[in-house]
Amino acid sequence: MKSGAMRQERLSVFSEALAVICVALVALPIAWMVVQGFLPNRAIVSNGWTFPFWLGNFQELFGAGSPFAREIVNSVVITAGTVLLCVLVGSITGYVLALLHPPRWLAAIALGLSALLPIVPPMVLVPGLYITMSRLDLIGSLLGLILLNTVFNLPFAALLMLNFFSQSPAELREAALVDGASEVGAFLRVMLPLSRPAVSAVGIYTAIMAWNEFLMGLTMTSGGAQAPLTVGIAGLVQPYSVTWGAMAAAGTVAAVPLVVLTIFAGRQIVAGLTAGALKG
Amino acid sequence: MVRSAPREKTSDGFNMDQGVVGFATETESQPPAQGTSTRGKRRRGGGRGTRLWAIVGLAPFVAFMLVFAIYPFGQLLWMSLSDTSQRGAGFQSSWAGFTNFVAVWGSRLDMQSILVTTLFVVLAVSITIVLGTALALMMRRVVAMRRVLQSVILWPAVVTPVAISVLWLLIFSPTVGVWNKLLGTFGVPGQQWLNTELGAFVLVVFIDVWHWTPLVFLVVFTALLGIDSGLYEAARIDGASERKITMSIVLPSLRPAIAVAALLRLVMAVKAFDEMYLLTRGGPNHATNLISLQIHSLFFDNLEFGHAAAFGIYVVLIVVVIALLGFGSYRLLGNVRATRKQAMR
């Protein structure tokens, strides 16, 4: 009995130690990048271990003639637009599929596309998308990137909302209808306010996806002031470049908001990621 | 608690008013749709108006998919069957039959990228699943570190993949990487991994494992926390060893979570692009040239539009077949298990 208790204790000490190691393995590489962002190039390139604090990388990134600030604004606009569209269209779609009994064939099409699109590698669609976007004159435009980000996140948003609404008390909608509310009113005033947790999971998840998106920004813009932040950073990653410090600083600018987000919205992120896992 | 109280009230109200409002009878003849089992026997609210709203409500979603998924896919199909070239700002194409599809079989780089992707997917998925599950099992007793762990472990999953490429470049770059600095400090000659075929491939798999093991860990860890601890207690009182408990109680109840994580990882690994594009550009000598990189270079560098499209169509076919096989075998396994359980009773 006693040895059993001791074993339990040893196991839990082992658990805690392993957790410390895992946290270090995750955090140290990220911390290293942040540190490099505050170093001049000669310190990064040198063989020694000196860490002279320096803000020049950031001054260079945000200096005149650099598109970096513009690219951050682009990313913010793309993220905001994508979140708005995904929450709006996703919640309506999920609501209709869960509660309004659309014609079978229509529901089958919507569900089939939601299952198929997430498993196709986006790069496969890029040639077709490129032609579509150039026909619509959306190459190099923020609106184009908002629409593309929305398309690739919409299946997840719709399925998560569908999942939420099919578990919510449908009688509330029926009661609202009986009380004289219109179908739109029942959705906007009764059911949507009820779905705040699901909406915030969708919003946070799509925000992360849109902020991190790289492929569409790379292929549908010609870089520079048209591009999102991720493409701007990629432009700094050259095989023989000497702008290591600027590269690290730019990576830091992209990463830090997300790290901060995990502190404030960790629970919603886990909900979004695991629901995304279940539905994706 | 909040949910059950209004449910009683509203369902009463609904039943009372049902006769007055007189719902259209056509709704009754419809078979119950999915997700309505709890109230499938009751009459559903809504007649013709609801049906109209349902169609209107689905319109934006379907329109999005038509314009930005179906239409581009049609363009892709058309491009794969034609000889397309760029004329000024637009494209010009003429019918080419199946020459592009035949050309894929003759392309050594296409075949190599499929091989490289297969290797990458098998290694990256299996390592992340085994490692993530093992770590979750080993850390299920974590108490003091739990909050920190659950927050920090999220970082790789949410931090921009482009930034992740940057940070690993800062570590493994042959010229400025801290790994070589460390080796140099201990008098070991620096590595050139990113410049060798095997080294670059191993690094790309390693970075993917670092990137996504936390996600597997989170999915499995969340499922672990959901297992009724009474189960452990009962087994422990019955004298089962820790290993026995893990193997015959914990792992079986984790099976759905692990399957979901594996499916998700599979889909993600097939899509992989960002890190390799930035770290290796598919090189050296195409050793890390995944299918996404191959399509990218066919389309944007070689301007072989038809070839890129045909290769993409093959990829879609492969992905769909694998998905159907995976789904089918999972259901088959479930059926086998169910019948075995019944037989044991």
Side-chain angles (χ1 to χ4, degrees), chain B residues 146-161:
Chain B
R146 178 171 292 175
R147 280 189 63 112
V148 177
L149 180 72
Q150 278 179 319
S151 172
V152 172
I153 210 90
L154 271 174
W155 292 357
V158 299
V159 165
T160 319

Side-chain angles (χ1 to χ4, degrees), chain A residues 35-36 38-44 46 49-55:
Chain A
V35 169
Q36 304 291 290
F38 290 96
L39 293 181
N41 265 322
R42 62 183 155 74
I44 298 175
S46 86
W49 297 90
T50 52
F51 299 96
F53 181 77
W54 198 58
L55 284 173

